[in-house]
Amino acid sequence: MKLNENYRNLKQNYLFAETAHRTAAYIEAHPDQSVIRLGIGDVTLPLAQSVVRAMQEAAAEMGDAATFRGYGPEQGYGFLREAIRDYYATRGIRIDADEVFITDGAKSDTGNITDLFAKDNVILVPDPVYPVYVDTNTMDGRQIIYADASKENGFLPMPDPQVKADIIYICSPNNPTGAAYTKEQLEAWVAYARENHALLLFDAAYECFVEEGKAARSIFEVEGARECAIEFCSLSKTAGFTGTRCGYTIVPKELCFAGADGEMLSVRQMWLRRQTTKFNGVSYIIQRGAAAVFTEEGMAECRRNIEYYKENAKVIAGTFDRLGVSYFGGIHSPYIWFECPFGMESWEFFDYMLEKIQVVGTPGAGFGANGTHYFRLTSFGSRENTVAAMARFEKMMAEKR
Ligand code: PLP
């Protein structure tokens, strides 16, 4: 018996496990302090009422012999796949319902998709970014190279024709920086992928935060993307499904790559085969709730929640504007990404904030080497906590000066 040695190449602790560990240790030592968490990207507002109603009705169906359902289609029920197809159509994007795969979230799929790829592909990952892309490819032992994101390029690296990659991850709007590509910028990535017979893996988990018309919400807005891209999306941030779990992946029929013998293989067919073998679908009740998100009423309710979070982002941005703290994001994204004050390294600043003002954020170093001197705050907290955290932040800055 031999274990997968690649696991030994992973960083010891998953980022949020480490921040949770440090926070818990602080609380244990200071039980009387009130800690405000603006760290992990988890939502706080409850599900929309229309979503809850749909799930209640579906639960009642499951309790009635006439409407009970057992195993569903592994790739999702038609009613939800069609609702997602129509959601894209309202944005002028044509996808077919059988190109939509319903899953338990974007985290699983961005990881699971690696099942389809040979081990000797070169993976290009932006730095900084959501750590799952690096960790899942490290588990498989693939070579990972990085596209540097920095304040100089607005945290939106563009393709370098000198760099040859086979699989490219794009996260837009980006976690953690909040930077979002325009359609024109994505055209350059699609052109690169087509020229190099590469694959784009586009994570659109935060598309619902994009300000209309100012950045792209889908890679499929770009002509030619159907031949070179897969899109991952999630209801976690769109509709508060972080605990409920539902996402979707779009694999276009045109997406084909040559096998070793030259035969053209359909990625969609391979993904279907993978999913029907290793996955048994998302619960019917959850899929009914997810379908309610795409109704007029559900959309309006979810929109109100997103606007609430966007207001929180403005509270944080307004404080930083006043204090002259240089920051990014917060417009097309629930995340504000800023340079650690006082020249601190990000874990040092994490400990400093926790100690001085009991506010928890996320150290930029956890998202890649380029995040070493940056820090992420989220707007997913309550208004009250966001305002209180910013008042504490302002005080902390004033005291240090
Ligand atoms: N993709 C990105 C960029 C994320 O930031 C997150 C969660 O924070 C996910 C995917 C995970 O989404 P899900 O809850 O659908 O698994």
Side-chain angles (χ1 to χ4, degrees):
M1 153 57 185
K2 289 188 185 130
L3 290 169
N4 181 350
E5 290 285 321
N6 295 318
Y7 275 64
R8 303 173 78 182
N9 298 326
L10 292 167
K11 285 208 192 100
Q12 217 24 292
N13 245 326
Y14 184 61
L15 169 64
F16 295 108
E18 180 59 26
T19 56
H21 170 75
R22 292 193 190 196
T23 308
Y26 179 84
I27 291 171
E28 203 184 324
H30 307 87
D32 49 329
Q33 295 281 19
S34 85
V35 171
I36 300 179
R37 293 165 205 266
L38 299 182
I40 190 162
D42 198 358
V43 295
T44 50
L45 293 173
L47 294 172
Q49 283 311 300
S50 51
V51 168
V52 174
R53 269 198 313 276
M55 291 197 292
Q56 284 167 337
E57 283 161 22
E61 279 181 57
M62 295 299 250
D64 182 336
T67 47
F68 169 77
R69 293 168 189 245
Y71 289 122
E74 291 92 342
Q75 62 274 41
Y77 282 102
F79 63 79
L80 181 54
R81 304 171 88 194
E82 285 157 20
I84 292 167
R85 174 200 61 198
D86 297 344
Y87 175 58
Y88 275 71
T90 60
R91 290 144 53 187
I93 300 168
R94 181 188 69 79
I95 52 164
D96 294 335
D98 61 359
E99 294 171 328
V100 180
F101 293 80
I102 308 301
T103 68
D104 64 344
K107 187 190 214 176
S108 317
D109 274 19
T110 49
N112 291 338
I113 198 78
T114 58
D115 267 14
L116 307 191
F117 312 137
K119 303 278 184 258
D120 56 358
N121 284 300
V122 175
I123 312 294
L124 181 64
V125 178
D127 174 2
V129 85
Y130 182 54
V132 171
Y133 319 145
V134 168
D135 285 355
T136 52
N137 280 290
T138 301
M139 287 172 180
D140 281 351
R142 290 195 189 84
Q143 186 197 347
I144 300 168
I145 57 174
Y146 295 92
D148 284 324
S150 60
K151 64 178 169 188
E152 285 71 34
N153 60 21
F155 289 96
L156 294 169
M158 295 303 291
D160 176 350
Q162 306 304 316
V163 172
K164 295 291 168 224
D166 303 302
I167 297 170
I168 299 130
Y169 285 84
I170 299 178
C171 180
S172 181
N174 180 280
N175 175 10
T177 68
Y181 285 103
T182 62
K183 182 180 167 196
E184 291 68 34
Q185 288 171 316
L186 290 179
E187 279 167 1
W189 278 109
V190 167
Y192 172 93
R194 291 172 64 104
E195 214 169 295
N196 292 283
H197 303 288
L199 172 65
L200 300 179
L201 298 177
F202 190 83
D203 187 342
Y206 298 94
E207 62 84 13
C208 62
F209 280 85
V210 169
E211 294 280 320
E212 205 51 55
K214 301 215 175 103
R217 288 170 61 190
S218 166
I219 190 69
F220 299 121
E221 289 175 29
V222 177
E223 215 184 302
R226 289 179 59 84
E227 284 88 32
C228 64
I230 293 175
E231 180 154 304
F232 303 93
C233 203
S234 166
L235 296 187
S236 284
K237 317 297 154 108
T238 307
F241 271 54
T242 51
T244 313
R245 310 304 308 143
C246 194
Y248 53 91
T249 295
I250 298 168
V251 192
K253 295 194 186 92
E254 288 89 330
L255 190 66
C256 295
F257 288 89
D261 58 1
E263 187 191 343
M264 291 307 281
L265 305 174
S266 156
V267 177
R268 194 190 75 89
Q269 284 299 341
M270 284 177 69
W271 181 242
L272 180 64
R273 190 71 174 83
R274 192 262 173 215
Q275 290 299 80
T276 50
T277 303
K278 292 197 182 180
F279 185 59
N280 245 340
V282 174
S283 141
Y284 172 70
I285 298 168
I286 301 301
Q287 291 195 59
R288 277 292 178 201
V293 169
F294 298 100
T295 60
E296 208 180 314
E297 189 189 354
M299 270 288 150
E301 285 181 278
C302 293
R303 221 36 265 164
R304 277 199 289 279
N305 289 354
I306 291 161
E307 291 309 322
Y308 177 91
Y309 296 133
K310 276 176 171 278
E311 272 304 310
N312 284 347
K314 282 188 192 149
V315 169
I316 301 173
T319 308
F320 287 0
D321 282 335
R322 271 198 306 283
L323 295 171
V325 174
S326 148
Y327 67 93
F328 298 83
I331 296 171
H332 305 300
S333 152
Y335 299 123
I336 305 259
W337 178 250
F338 62 101
E339 266 180 283
C340 298
F342 326 129
M344 282 185 190
E345 185 280 326
S346 66
W347 280 105
E348 186 189 359
F349 187 64
F350 175 89
D351 292 332
Y352 183 83
M353 274 222 310
L354 185 56
E355 190 66 42
K356 291 278 177 208
I357 59 170
Q358 297 78 47
V359 173
V360 176
T362 310
F367 300 97
N370 290 334
T372 305
H373 287 94
Y374 284 86
F375 208 77
R376 190 193 79 175
L377 290 180
T378 99
S379 64
F380 283 133
S382 68
R383 179 69 38 79
E384 194 190 349
N385 275 347
T386 309
V387 169
M390 285 303 103
R392 293 184 192 182
F393 194 94
E394 230 165 323
K395 196 158 162 273
M396 173 187 82
M397 295 296 283
E399 279 169 9
K400 184 85 178 177
R401 282 200 174 116

